[in-house]
Amino acid sequence: MKVGVFDSGLGGLTVVNAIIQTFNNAEIFYIADTQVAPYGIKSKEEILQHSFEVTKYLIAKHEIDVLIVACNTATSAAIKDLRTNFPNIIIIGTEPGIRPALNTTKTGSVGVLATRATLKGDKYQLLVNELSSSNSVKLYEQACPGLVEQIELGKIQTDDTFDMLENWLKPMCENGVDTIVLGCTHYPLVSSNIKKIMGENIKLIETGNAIANRLKDLTKEKNYATFENIKVFIYFTGELNTGMVNHILKDWLLGGKIIIRETKV
Ligand code: DGL
């Protein structure tokens, strides 16, 4: 099975991690669109255009069977058009896990961290409207400008990243938020900071496992040729912080489960 995965940068590797956990054989072609990152401050048209370029590249060069848009922001802006324009491949998107958060919260107060583009997007607005008609849960939504850049630079355990998060999370803490939706695939990489601020009992909802399970469901009928192990090919359009790549995929690298090649395109 040839799986194309893309994100603006390294965040989608949190989804790749979940796929590696679920599958023993697949070739993963990952694109970090770092020349354009961050997507979250771009217009819908720009995000759509870049999502199309990346998808066309993955189909033409790597003949992918499945595309995973491992980015909430690109899913919000482009998933509908991608499905219409590329009907011959399976396309899976990423959406903030509001539904599971509503089932998890005990206090009825849920935080949502996402990019500005995701929170403003029709897709998110529709989801929240639909769910709010049958739920009394209060949502505390917070865009996190600058956080993706910090993560791309590998500035995870730094004071400035901690301060940014503390500033956004304090009001959630004061309002009894017990569950936080990580509505950007980069944000699981700062989970330990979020726990330091919100307390160890905070429930963090990320979507990597749900995407891997969806991939399993949608491909079980298909008879894709099998590979002996997982191969991950990482391509990037601008710069790539290889230290961060190794940090994110370290468990698999140490276990020798994956083979990685990094190439600039
Ligand atoms: N990882 C992304 C997401 O899930 C994109 C972040 C960005 O580039 O702003 O939304």
Side-chain angles (χ1 to χ4, degrees):
M1 177 169 61
K2 293 186 176 200
V3 185
V5 183
F6 80 91
D7 180 35
S8 62
L10 302 169
L13 290 177
T14 58
V15 176
V16 170
N17 256 336
I19 297 172
I20 297 171
Q21 241 168 71
T22 313
F23 290 86
N24 290 322
N25 42 45
E27 281 190 312
I28 300 174
F29 300 91
Y30 184 87
I31 311 270
D33 195 7
T34 49
Q35 193 177 32
V36 182
Y39 280 176
I41 52 169
K42 304 270 177 323
S43 68
K44 184 178 168 171
E45 292 67 33
E46 281 174 286
I47 302 167
L48 193 62
Q49 184 206 328
H50 293 293
S51 302
F52 263 67
E53 276 171 22
V54 169
T55 304
K56 278 193 219 151
Y57 167 83
L58 284 166
I59 293 174
K61 282 264 189 279
H62 302 295
E63 300 176 332
I64 54 167
D65 308 297
V66 183
L67 174 73
I68 297 181
V69 183
C71 173
N72 295 261
T73 311
T75 299
S76 168
I79 197 90
K80 210 163 144 240
D81 294 287
L82 288 173
R83 288 196 173 121
T84 309
N85 285 276
F86 304 100
N88 297 329
I89 54 168
I90 296 169
I91 301 184
I92 301 172
T94 311
E95 250 187 359
I98 308 289
R99 245 178 256 272
L102 296 184
N103 295 329
T104 304
T105 180
K106 299 268 185 301
T107 60
S109 294
V110 168
V112 184
L113 301 178
T115 66
R116 200 177 61 202
T118 298
L119 293 175
K120 271 193 353 203
D122 295 344
K123 208 167 183 336
Y124 176 81
Q125 294 295 333
L126 281 171
L127 178 70
V128 168
N129 286 345
E130 183 198 322
L131 294 175
S132 58
S133 57
S134 52
N135 275 284
S136 55
V137 167
K138 176 124 184 58
L139 291 184
Y140 294 86
E141 294 158 349
Q142 179 65 57
C144 307
L147 185 56
V148 163
E149 290 91 323
Q150 294 289 103
I151 294 169
E152 287 291 317
L153 291 169
K155 292 181 164 186
I156 291 182
Q157 300 299 344
T158 60
D159 288 348
D160 45 349
T161 302
F162 190 86
D163 291 348
M164 277 172 143
L165 281 164
E166 195 171 43
N167 201 20
W168 295 319
L169 294 172
K170 238 190 192 148
M172 296 190 190
C173 225
E174 287 161 6
N175 285 291
V177 165
D178 66 346
T179 305
I180 295 182
V181 176
L182 302 178
C184 167
T185 52
H186 280 76
Y187 300 169
L189 297 168
V190 289
S191 292
S192 64
N193 288 336
I194 298 176
K195 285 191 174 164
K196 262 187 217 146
I197 298 163
M198 297 297 294
E200 278 300 315
N201 291 334
I202 189 76
K203 299 273 182 306
L204 301 179
I205 309 288
E206 45 180 295
T207 33
N209 287 334
I211 292 171
N213 289 334
R214 183 91 185 117
L215 178 62
K216 206 173 183 179
D217 277 357
L218 291 177
T219 55
K220 66 171 176 255
E221 303 291 311
K222 309 263 179 189
N223 190 18
Y224 293 126
T226 53
F227 298 92
E228 276 168 19
N229 50 14
I230 292 265
K231 291 185 187 158
V232 182
F233 302 99
I234 299 178
Y235 298 88
F236 50 101
T237 58
E239 299 286 318
L240 187 74
N241 183 339
T242 42
M244 275 300 284
V245 172
N246 294 343
H247 169 76
I248 299 166
L249 298 176
K250 66 178 175 307
D251 292 344
W252 310 115
L253 289 169
L254 291 174
K257 187 171 176 187
I258 57 171
I259 300 164
I260 297 193
R261 245 178 31 211
E262 289 155 4
T263 318
K264 181 163 163 101
V265 286

